C-alpha cells in the first residue's frame, strides 16, 4: 500500500479523499492555489504546496507544478478527484513517466473513453446499445444532412465535452448553422477541441448511470445505479440511488451492458457508465466517465462500500476482495448539490460565509469544504458541498432530506437549498417519474 498520496484537486472532493487516506493510515499532500491558502483541504492535509495563481490553468491544471510537488514530497501516487486533470490522458501518462501512480485508468483508456465519438464506436463493438447518432461532423452542411436522416430534434455534442458544456439542441434545419457554430465555439473555449458529433435528442428520457469498480485481474463489480435526471443546463442537481421506478429486469440489463462495456476496454478503477432510459424501458449508452463522480456518495451509502478507498487499493494493485453478495443494496440515498448561487435565478455568488450550521443526525452526511468565516473564492466551481441522506425507504429519505435542508444555514452568500426544497415537493419528484426535462418545466413556473 502507498504511504503517501498527493491530492490534485480542491474543494469537497479533496477533503473527501484526504479523509479516506487518513482512515487508511496514508500521509496526505495537498496542492493549493494562491486563492486557496485558507482552504480546508490546504489545512487538513499533512503537507501542502502552493502550485500557482488562482486561475486553474496556473495551478490545478498546472501539470509541471503538481508533478514537482509530488516529487518534492515523495508522494507515490496522485489522486486527481473529478474535473480538472482527472480525465486528462497526458497527465496520467506524465505521472507514469515520473514513476508516480495515477489513481485511475491508464492514459490510453482515458483518451479512448474521453473521446465520446471513439467511445460510442467502442460500445457499438461491445454490443452495448448507443443513442442513434453520427461520427464526427466536418461541417454544418454535413450536420444538416445527418439530421434529416436521424430526424429532429437532434443534439450537437462536443467530442471532448464534460460538465454539460458544448451541447446544443437543434429543432429544425434552420437552427443547424447557428447551433453548430455555438457548440463549436463553446467546445473550443472549454476543451480546446471543437470537434462535434450528433445524437438523436431523446426525450422524455431519464439519465440513469451505473457505478462500476474493476481491478487489474479483470474482476468487475457493479456497485449500483443512480438516477441523475434532475439537471439544469445538462448539469446534475440531485441524484439518488437506487434509481426509483427502474424495473428490475431493466436494471439487470443495464448491469449486464455495463460489465460488457468495462470488459471491452479492460477497464481498471472506478468508473461510471451513463445511459438514457426511454419510457419504453429501452436504454442507450451516452458516455463513460473514467473517474470518481460527484455523486459517488449516494452509491456508497446504499452499498456500504467506500469507493475512494477502493480506488486507492486497486491502484496499488490489490484485487477486489468483496463478493457480489457483500454489496449491500438496502435502503435509499439522495444527494442535493448545495451551490453558491441564487436558488431561482442561478446567479452565482461568492463571498464570506458569516454563519454556518450543518445538519446532522442518523443517515445525514455533508461532504463540503466550507466553514464559518470561510471566504468562497469567485474563481472556481460554485458547488459548496453535497448534502446526502440515507434511509430505509425512499419516502423516509425524502423526509429526511427536507428536514436536513431546513436545518442547513449558510449565511452571507447565495445558496440553493430553497430550490432543493421546491424540487422535493413536486409530484414528479415524489413519484419518481421525473425526466431530464423536469427542471425546464419547473423553472418555467419561476418565470411566470
Ligand atoms: P459528474 O458526472 O461527476 O456529476 P459533472 O459533469 O457535474 O460530473 O462535473 C464534475 C465537476 O467537474 C464539475 O465541477 C464540473 O464543472 C467539472 N468538469 C466536468 N467536466 C470537466 C472538464 N472537461 N473540464 C473541466 N472541468 C470539468
Ligand atoms: P457531459 O460529458 O457534459 O456530462 P453527457 O453526454 O453526459 O455530457 O450529457 C449531459 C446531459 O445532457 C445528459 O445527462 C442528458 O441530460 C443530456 N443529454 C446528452 N445527450 C442526450 C441525448 N442524446 N438526448 C437527450 N439528452 C441528452
Ligand atoms: Mg455526462
Amino acid at each position: 500500500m502507498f504511504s503517501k498520496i498527493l491530492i490534485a484537486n480542491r474543494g469537497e472532493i479533496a477533503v473527501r479523499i484526504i479523509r479516506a487516506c487518513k482512515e487508511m493510515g496514508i500521509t496526505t499532500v495537498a496542492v493549493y492555489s494562491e486563492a486557496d491558502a485558507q482552504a480546508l483541504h490546504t489545512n487538513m492535509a499533512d503537507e501542502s504546496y502552493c502550485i500557482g495563481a488562482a486561475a486553474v490553468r496556473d495551478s490545478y491544471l498546472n501539470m509541471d507544478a503538481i508533478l514537482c510537488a509530488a516529487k518534492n514530497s515523495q508522494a507515490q501516487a496522485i489522486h486527481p478527484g473529478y474535473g480538472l486533470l482527472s480525465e486528462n490522458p497526458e497527465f496520467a501518462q506524465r505521472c507514469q513517466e515520473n514513476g508516480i501512480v495515477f489513481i485511475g485508468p491508464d492514459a490510453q483508456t482515458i483518451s479512448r473513453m474521453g473521446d465520446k465519438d471513439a467511445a460510442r464506436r467502442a460500445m457499438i463493438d461491445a454490443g452495448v446499445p448507443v443513442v442513434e447518432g453520427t461520427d464526427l461532423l466536418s461541417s454544418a452542411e454535413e450536420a444538416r444532412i445527418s439530421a434529416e436522416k436521424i430526424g429532429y430534434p437532434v443534439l450537437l455534442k462536443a467530442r471532448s465535452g464534460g460538465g454539460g458544456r458544448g451541447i446544443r439542441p437543434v429543432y429544425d434545419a434552420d437552427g443547424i448553422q447557428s447551433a453548430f457554430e455555438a457548440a463549436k465555439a463553446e467546445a473550443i473555449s472549454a476543451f480546446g477541441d471543437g470537434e462535434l458529433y450528433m445524437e438523436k435528442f431523446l426525450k422524455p428520457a431519464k439519465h440513469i448511470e451505473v457505478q462500476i469498480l474493476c481491478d487489474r485481474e479483470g474482476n468487475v463489480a457493479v456497485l449500483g445505479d443512480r438516477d441523475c435526471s434532475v439537471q439544469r443546463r445538462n448539469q446534475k442537481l440531485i441524484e439518488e440511488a437506487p434509481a426509483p421506478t427502474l424495473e428490475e429486469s431493466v436494471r439487470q440489463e443495464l448491469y449486464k451492458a455495463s460489465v460488457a462495456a468495462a470488459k471491452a476496454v479492460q477497464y481498471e478503477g472506478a468508473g461510471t457508465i451513463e445511459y438514457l432510459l426511454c419510457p419504453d424501458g429501452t436504454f442507450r449508452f451516452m458516455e463513460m466517465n473514467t473517474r470518481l463522480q460527484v455523486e459517488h456518495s449516494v452509491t456508497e451509502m446504499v452499498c456500504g462500500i467506500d469507493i475512494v478507498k477502493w480506488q486507492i487499493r486497486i491502484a496499488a494493485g490489490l484485487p477486489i476482495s468483496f463478493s457480489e453478495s457483500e454489496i449491500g443494496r438496502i435502503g435509499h440515498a439522495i444527494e442535493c448539490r448545495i451551490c453558491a448561487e441564487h436558488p431561482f435565478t442561478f446567479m452565482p455568488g461568492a463571498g464570506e460565509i458569516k454563519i454556518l450550521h450543518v445538519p446532522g443526525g442518523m443517515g445525514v452526511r455533508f461532504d463540503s469544504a466550507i466553514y464559518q468565516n470561510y471566504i468562497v473564492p469567485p474563481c472556481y466551481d460554485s458547488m459548496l458541498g453535497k448534502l446526502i441522506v440515507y434511509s430505509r425507504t425512499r419516502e423516509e429519505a425524502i423526509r429526511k432530506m427536507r428536514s436536513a435542508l431546513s436545518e442547513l444555514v449558510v449565511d452571507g452568500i447565495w445558496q440553493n437549498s430553497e430550490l432543493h426544497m421546491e424540487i422535493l415537493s413536486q409530484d414528479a419528484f415524489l413519484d419518481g417519474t421525473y425526466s431530464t426535462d423536469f427542471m425546464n418545466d419547473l423553472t418555467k413556473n419561476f418565470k411566470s
Side-chain angles (χ1 to χ4, degrees):
M1 185 40 66
F2 309 116
S3 56
K4 202 179 221 183
I5 290 178
L6 181 144
I7 296 102
N9 214 300
R10 64 178 304 282
E12 69 87 18
I13 200 60
V15 170
R16 165 74 187 89
I17 298 161
I18 291 170
R19 286 183 178 138
C21 290
K22 282 187 190 241
E23 288 174 29
M24 295 173 86
I26 298 168
T27 305
T28 51
V29 181
V31 291
Y32 64 98
S33 72
E34 284 165 13
D36 273 342
Q38 303 304 324
L40 197 57
H41 76 283
T42 308
N43 291 304
M44 263 178 77
D46 297 297
E47 294 168 37
S48 323
Y49 291 81
C50 184
I51 47 164
V56 287
R57 67 172 177 280
D58 298 325
S59 49
Y60 298 105
L61 293 177
N62 183 343
M63 297 187 213
D64 289 329
I66 293 168
L67 287 168
C68 182
K71 293 226 136 171
N72 286 342
S73 63
Q74 295 182 305
Q76 297 133 341
I78 295 184
H79 195 308
Y82 54 67
L84 300 171
L85 293 172
S86 63
E87 290 180 286
N88 186 312
E90 185 191 342
F91 185 62
Q93 184 65 36
R94 287 191 60 189
C95 286
Q96 195 194 3
E97 285 162 9
N98 282 276
I100 298 162
V101 175
F102 175 84
I103 301 177
D106 60 29
Q108 203 195 338
T109 308
I110 297 174
S111 57
R112 191 157 167 212
M113 300 315 273
D115 176 337
K116 294 178 159 193
D117 166 62
R120 277 171 58 83
R121 279 182 271 119
M123 290 304 108
I124 293 168
D125 290 345
V128 176
V130 302
V131 183
E132 187 187 350
T134 66
D135 289 339
L136 296 180
L137 299 164
S138 58
S139 65
E141 179 54 19
E142 194 187 339
R144 196 186 55 75
I145 294 165
S146 297
E148 298 292 319
K149 255 189 256 159
I150 293 171
Y152 291 98
V154 295
L155 282 184
L156 285 166
K157 296 177 70 172
R159 150 173 88 175
S160 300
R165 282 163 303 168
I167 300 179
R168 286 289 182 284
V170 194
Y171 298 93
D172 52 44
D174 292 344
I176 282 272
Q177 183 74 33
S178 61
F180 191 88
E181 282 162 16
K184 198 179 193 69
E186 188 169 280
I188 289 171
S189 90
F191 316 112
D193 174 13
E195 291 293 337
L196 304 178
Y197 67 104
M198 180 183 290
E199 279 180 1
K200 174 94 188 151
F201 190 177
L202 296 177
K203 59 180 190 170
K206 269 179 167 293
H207 173 120
I208 305 288
E209 57 186 37
V210 177
Q211 174 74 56
I212 57 164
L213 207 52
C214 309
D215 66 20
R216 209 163 289 172
E217 294 172 10
N219 298 306
V220 180
V222 175
L223 298 187
D225 49 90
R226 301 186 279 258
D227 189 327
C228 312
S229 306
V230 179
Q231 303 181 350
R232 54 118 176 57
R233 297 191 211 104
N234 301 317
Q235 279 177 348
K236 300 157 189 165
L237 260 178
I238 296 185
E239 303 96 343
E240 54 180 323
T245 74
L246 181 62
E247 266 184 54
E248 201 46 43
S249 59
V250 179
R251 172 170 286 126
Q252 293 313 321
E253 287 301 313
L254 274 165
Y255 289 5
K256 237 168 65 191
S258 305
V259 171
K263 292 205 184 243
V265 297
Q266 292 174 309
Y267 196 76
E268 186 186 314
T272 302
I273 302 152
E274 298 187 334
Y275 300 91
L276 284 169
L277 175 69
C278 296
D280 63 2
T282 60
F283 59 83
R284 291 166 184 83
F285 169 87
M286 195 161 42
E287 67 157 342
M288 177 166 192
N289 290 146
T290 57
R291 56 170 165 90
L292 187 66
Q293 272 187 304
V294 174
E295 61 274 19
H296 73 280
S297 26
V298 285
T299 301
E300 293 185 322
M301 302 306 277
V302 286
C303 74
I305 285 167
D306 187 314
I307 296 173
V308 175
K309 286 186 188 168
W310 274 105
Q311 284 189 295
I312 295 170
R313 290 189 193 109
I314 288 168
L318 297 175
I320 292 172
S321 63
F322 55 83
S323 66
E324 178 68 26
S325 62
E326 284 171 88
I327 304 171
R329 293 216 176 87
I330 311 167
H332 199 89
I334 303 176
E335 168 179 289
C336 289
R337 296 192 188 194
I338 307 297
C339 299
E341 59 187 30
H342 187 281
F344 304 113
T345 63
F346 305 132
M347 281 283 285
E352 186 180 346
I353 296 176
K354 298 262 170 44
I355 302 170
L356 176 68
H357 172 77
V358 171
M362 184 172 167
V364 177
R365 169 175 171 184
F366 189 57
D367 277 19
S368 84
I370 57 174
Y371 54 85
Q372 194 149 309
N373 301 326
Y374 173 63
I375 298 170
V376 179
C379 33
Y380 305 111
D381 193 90
S382 67
M383 198 174 77
L384 296 170
K386 309 180 304 201
L387 183 55
I388 304 139
V389 299
Y390 171 75
S391 216
R392 287 193 66 88
T393 66
R394 182 170 188 264
E395 227 182 347
E396 266 179 33
I398 292 173
R399 276 207 293 269
K400 199 186 279 279
M401 181 59 91
R402 285 220 196 108
S403 163
L405 282 168
S406 70
E407 260 186 64
L408 176 70
V409 177
V410 188
D411 260 7
I413 58 168
W414 284 120
Q415 57 92 5
N416 62 349
S417 60
E418 241 184 284
L419 172 65
H420 287 300
M421 273 296 206
E422 184 67 30
I423 295 170
L424 259 49
S425 71
Q426 299 294 312
D427 289 342
F429 187 83
L430 295 175
D431 65 21
T433 58
Y434 62 88
S435 75
T436 55
D437 267 342
F438 173 81
M439 282 303 291
N440 274 341
D441 297 341
L442 188 67
T443 48
K444 261 182 226 143
N445 295 340
F446 297 162
K447 281 166 202 148
S448 59

